[in-house]
Amino acid sequence: MSLRTMGADAVLLVAFIAAAGAGSLLLGQDVNWDLQNYHYYNPWAWWHGRIFNQDLAAAQIQTFLNPLLDLPFYWMVTAEWSPRVIAFVLAIPAAIAAFFLCKLLLLMFGDLPRGQRVVAIASSLAIGVTSAMAIGELGSTLNEWPLAALLMLALWLIARELKRAETGPWSQASSLAWHQAPNLRPPRLPSVCAERCSSVARTRGQPFAHASPTRYGSGWP
């Protein structure tokens, strides 16, 4: 990879981080129910050795979810970072996911004429990052975006190697995915997404308040 390519990637990633962070700040502070139930409690209890001996399912069944994804949020809150800084940082995984989606689209549409390529990449990227769930969970503790970032990284790595090999499966797989996509959509997906998004939307738009450790649970007995 040339220095020019690395520089372009760095600029693109910074742009995505700035856009995601700004979007998170515009949405307001995250106050979703899962955060109040276990996204702070789980890492706190695990970090202090309480989750399996002193506390008995304090966060209901979610007590037993892996707390590692919530550790960064827990550390930021206990360090008393500004809520706006926390909201910005929590949006970084979304920016990383969008970055690798963009790189994947560059591979997929790289053979198109310049004008068509720009339109295809821009429209696909917009569709990919502006769904109701994508926006509703931006900068939140719901942890879908970190997993999406890892998934997009994996897809890009696979696509890059297939492209480098210049073998048939890449074009065949793309064609198959394009023609089979309508058959893979669950019939209730729009209604399920609408129900989920309406609940997520109600957890944002709150004014930023100081995220003190006491408020989020370190004062629990």
Side-chain angles (χ1 to χ4, degrees):
M1 181 180 293
S2 66
L3 289 177
R4 182 176 181 180
T5 301
M6 293 176 62
D9 283 349
V11 170
L12 183 62
L13 179 58
V14 169
F16 277 126
I17 291 175
S24 179
L25 293 177
L26 288 174
L27 287 172
Q29 190 170 8
D30 179 23
V31 291
N32 74 80
W33 163 249
D34 287 348
L35 165 59
Q36 299 178 57
N37 182 34
Y38 71 91
H39 280 300
Y40 185 90
Y41 164 77
N42 278 3
W44 171 81
W46 179 77
W47 190 254
H48 291 88
R50 299 174 58 106
I51 202 164
F52 295 127
N53 49 24
Q54 296 185 48
D55 300 342
L56 180 61
Q60 306 172 59
I61 193 173
Q62 288 83 8
T63 303
F64 306 102
L65 296 179
N66 193 317
L68 295 183
L69 280 175
D70 292 316
L71 275 176
F73 172 74
Y74 165 74
W75 286 331
M76 288 188 289
V77 172
T78 54
E80 299 190 4
W81 286 21
S82 164
R84 288 179 174 81
V85 174
I86 294 176
F88 191 99
V89 172
L90 289 176
I92 291 178
I96 295 174
F99 170 74
F100 283 111
L101 171 60
C102 186
K103 290 179 69 67
L104 178 62
L105 294 172
L106 286 169
L107 288 176
M108 293 180 64
F109 299 121
D111 296 333
L112 293 177
R114 180 180 178 85
Q116 295 180 23
R117 182 169 69 249
V118 171
V119 172
I121 292 174
S123 57
S124 298
L125 182 63
I127 292 171
V129 300
T130 59
S131 68
M133 289 300 295
I135 294 176
E137 297 190 5
L138 179 64
S140 75
T141 58
L142 293 175
N143 289 331
E144 271 80 6
W145 272 119
L147 299 179
L150 293 175
L151 177 61
M152 295 312 304
L153 169 60
L155 289 174
W156 171 70
L157 289 173
I158 293 171
R160 185 187 64 175
E161 294 308 311
L162 289 173
K163 194 71 171 180
R164 284 178 176 176
E166 294 183 350
T167 55
W170 167 247
S171 58
Q172 294 175 11
S174 299
S175 176
L176 179 63
W178 176 262
H179 288 94
Q180 292 298 321
N183 300 324
L184 298 177
R185 290 195 292 268
R188 289 195 66 249
L189 185 58
S191 61
V192 171
C193 286
E195 294 168 5
R196 176 63 172 158
C197 293
S198 64
S199 64
V200 171
R202 291 193 294 269
T203 68
R204 301 303 293 267
Q206 301 296 319
F208 285 97
H210 184 62
S212 66
T214 302
R215 177 184 176 187
Y216 284 107
S218 63
W220 291 348

